Amino acid sequence: MNRARATDTAANDAAAVNAPSTPAAPEATRRSRRIPSWAVRDPEPLPPLAVPAPEPAAAEPDLPAAPLGRRVRSAARWSLINTMVMRLGNFATGIILARFALGPAAWGVYGIAQTVLLVLLSANELGVGLAIVRWDGDPRRFAPTVLTLSALSSGALYVAIFAAAPAVAHSLGSPEATGVLRVMCLCVVLDGIAQVPAGFLTREFAQGRRMVIDALNFVLSTAVTLLLAFQGMGAMSFAWGAVVGNVAALLGFCLAAPGTLRFGWDTRQARALLRFGLPLAGASLLALGVVNVDTLVVGSTLGKVELGFYVLAFNISSWPVRIISEAARRVSFAGFSRLADSAQGLARGFSRALGVVITGTVPICVLLAGLSRPVVDLIYGDEWVPAAKALPWLMGLGLIRIGCELAYDCLVALGRRRSLIGVQGLWLVALIPVLIVAARTHGIVGVSQGHCLVAAGLVVPFFLLALRGGGIGLRWIARACAWPFLGGAVMTVTILSLERRYGDGRAAVFAIGAVALAMYAVCVLPSRAFLRGSAPPPKTP
């Protein structure tokens, strides 16, 4: 479910090779011993590698002696710093492009190309790249087979989209997107090759090295995008910026994880890898479909200009997802997998992780939803004000996405792959007709409302039920969300009442935001011990 929309800059999208390109960050699949018998489970354990034991010389280097918690916290800090720095840079670049170089139509064309790219990236390596992170033993034994499978499948996908690009662009109402599609989807091949070295860094919690690679990606891709955009190349500037950034990231991964980019083939390994990866790739493909189908609906129903406004609104709503959720998910999958054998430990770890991300996300979502029009006008200019109509509902969707993505990682750690495929399929089937009707009747506002309604009414209850089946009951969820939700409600009342009285001028907006944040801070103060991990667990009924 991890999704980067047509972003504030091509660097953000080019980073698809930096972060795992499926909607879920690399996930673990170790089972919990406390999953009840009624829960949906895989019919058999994950297959072990059918390869001889490694020679001592090829043994996996010893992991650092630091405890798991310390390693996860360190990786999370680096990941958060990395994400925030990159997103702030993307944010500034997006403002420059939107104000001075590109209009809504160009953003709409780019949104179509980016959506197609993300759908392809969700399953381009058939899910086998996640084995580098999850499988026990020395990953260098099976990494050559992973690389071969990933490169072959990614190359085949690119050939297919190159041939189908004219038909795809025409069906989505933007024939001019053909060339952008063909260039941008080169990232599919680059991402497939980068899966192995990137997986080694993720396995080792090497987020410091990831930050250096992301910085290189950002600088080069942003420079190319800005240069081409101001030369009048429109949406194509994003495409070439993304390709240059992905090439730089691939080289960076190879230097940071030397010796991991070796092709090879073992038929027994390939079969085991496909049995492991295909269910995850299917779930990832469905998850990307869920959060990208709205782009396809808006583009084909309302046209590229309205799509440009919608894409910008979705970009803004994704700020907390990109800054907070992406940082958390780069380490959450590994942490959950290490805790999956202890139901109590996993429940406590998930509850605290959820509390941290929700506490950090709620104030951002409430501020952007309550002050949507003045925020869009202030940042992007009055040309983009129509995008503000959809923003309040999309901010609610962004908050739901963050919780669901963390739950997704946790459920994969419990081995619930089939359950996740089922919910993603149900979500997509329910969403398509709702969005089509909403787009035709209420435009981009209706699309955002339909998206939020289906997510809250259908998907959230499923995840709550699935988590309960894995030993994480509602009391753990309530403990994580109670104080942030109370603070969000107080913020909402504060913003609405003050805005009605003092208006939405720039000075008033800053003052209202400051007061609302102060009120939120007071509301969440009682949860400090819980967020720090020093509070006792909730009592079992």
Side-chain angles (χ1 to χ4, degrees), residues 343-368:
Q344 183 76 5
L346 180 62
R348 185 177 302 172
F350 176 80
S351 181
R352 185 186 172 204
L354 181 63
V356 170
V357 297
I358 294 296
T359 300
T361 303
V362 165
I364 303 175
C365 290
V366 174
L367 283 177
L368 292 175

Side-chain angles (χ1 to χ4, degrees), residues 309-310 312-318 320 361-362 364-376 384-400 444-453 492 495-496 499:
F309 290 133
Y310 184 81
L312 185 76
F314 203 101
N315 284 344
I316 298 173
S317 74
S318 297
T361 303
V362 165
I364 303 175
C365 290
V366 174
L367 283 177
L368 292 175
L371 301 171
S372 57
R373 191 186 186 285
V375 165
V376 172
W384 294 93
V385 167
K389 299 181 296 183
L391 189 53
W393 294 94
L394 290 176
M395 293 313 308
L397 176 65
L399 184 61
I400 294 171
I444 62 173
V445 176
V447 171
S448 61
Q449 291 172 336
H451 227 324
C452 194
L453 177 64
T492 302
I495 291 173
L496 293 178
E499 188 178 20

Side-chain angles (χ1 to χ4, degrees), residues 48-135:
L49 284 174
V51 294
E55 298 295 330
E60 184 181 16
D62 291 335
L63 291 174
L68 174 62
R70 187 183 305 171
R71 294 172 58 217
V72 171
R73 287 192 296 271
S74 175
R77 284 193 295 269
W78 276 111
S79 182
L80 180 60
I81 294 170
N82 179 15
T83 304
M84 291 187 67
V85 171
M86 294 303 106
R87 297 318 177 201
L88 287 174
N90 293 332
F91 170 67
T93 307
I95 294 174
I96 295 172
L97 290 172
R99 278 188 170 270
F100 306 113
L102 303 175
W107 282 92
V109 172
Y110 175 57
I112 290 173
Q114 178 65 7
T115 297
V116 174
L117 171 63
L118 289 172
V119 171
L120 296 178
L121 287 176
S122 67
N124 65 314
E125 37 76 69
L126 306 178
V128 298
L130 303 182
I132 297 292
V133 181
R134 166 60 186 92
W135 278 8

Side-chain angles (χ1 to χ4, degrees), residues 24-49:
E27 300 110 343
T29 51
R30 188 174 299 166
R31 301 183 186 281
S32 168
R33 296 170 182 166
R34 292 189 58 188
I35 299 178
S37 59
W38 56 263
V40 179
R41 302 183 60 176
D42 296 323
E44 58 184 5
L46 293 176
L49 284 174

Side-chain angles (χ1 to χ4, degrees), residues 90-373:
N90 293 332
F91 170 67
T93 307
I95 294 174
I96 295 172
L97 290 172
R99 278 188 170 270
F100 306 113
L102 303 175
W107 282 92
V109 172
Y110 175 57
I112 290 173
Q114 178 65 7
T115 297
V116 174
L117 171 63
L118 289 172
V119 171
L120 296 178
L121 287 176
S122 67
N124 65 314
E125 37 76 69
L126 306 178
V128 298
L130 303 182
I132 297 292
V133 181
R134 166 60 186 92
W135 278 8
D136 296 329
D138 184 1
R140 296 178 188 272
R141 293 179 297 157
F142 54 86
T145 304
V146 171
L147 181 59
T148 301
L149 280 171
S150 181
L152 288 175
S153 60
S154 298
L157 275 178
Y158 179 72
V159 171
I161 193 59
F162 187 92
V168 172
H170 182 74
S171 66
L172 297 176
S174 297
E176 60 271 36
T178 299
V180 180
L181 272 173
R182 286 174 166 171
V183 173
M184 184 171 288
C185 287
L186 286 169
C187 298
V188 171
V189 180
L190 297 170
D191 177 84
I193 297 173
Q195 286 293 316
V196 169
F200 274 90
L201 295 185
T202 303
R203 181 185 180 99
E204 298 169 5
F205 298 96
Q207 294 302 321
R209 282 176 279 174
R210 289 288 295 263
M211 182 174 178
V212 175
I213 295 170
D214 287 350
L216 177 65
N217 181 336
F218 169 75
V219 170
L220 293 178
S221 62
T222 300
V224 171
T225 299
L226 289 172
L227 177 64
L228 297 181
F230 280 99
Q231 289 182 352
M233 291 190 65
M236 186 62 78
S237 61
F238 288 108
W240 283 115
V243 171
V244 170
N246 274 265
V247 171
L250 175 58
L251 294 175
F253 281 128
C254 294
L255 293 175
T260 59
L261 206 63
R262 292 190 303 109
F263 289 91
W265 185 258
D266 185 294
T267 302
R268 292 174 295 176
Q269 291 179 0
R271 290 173 181 169
L273 287 165
L274 290 173
R275 286 197 298 269
F276 167 82
L278 285 177
L280 295 177
S284 297
L285 182 61
L286 289 171
L288 257 294
V290 164
V291 290
N292 283 279
V293 68
D294 53 354
T295 297
L296 306 181
V297 169
V298 172
S300 60
T301 304
L302 303 176
K304 60 186 179 183
V305 174
E306 285 296 299
L307 176 59
F309 290 133
Y310 184 81
V311 165
L312 185 76
F314 203 101
N315 284 344
I316 298 173
S317 74
S318 297
W319 288 348
V321 178
R322 295 172 191 159
I323 294 175
I324 298 174
S325 182
E326 286 183 13
R329 298 189 77 204
R330 286 189 178 184
V331 296
S332 64
F333 76 96
F336 291 154
S337 76
R338 306 293 175 88
L339 296 171
D341 287 332
S342 169
Q344 183 76 5
L346 180 62
R348 185 177 302 172
F350 176 80
S351 181
R352 185 186 172 204
L354 181 63
V356 170
V357 297
I358 294 296
T359 300
T361 303
V362 165
I364 303 175
C365 290
V366 174
L367 283 177
L368 292 175
L371 301 171
S372 57
R373 191 186 186 285

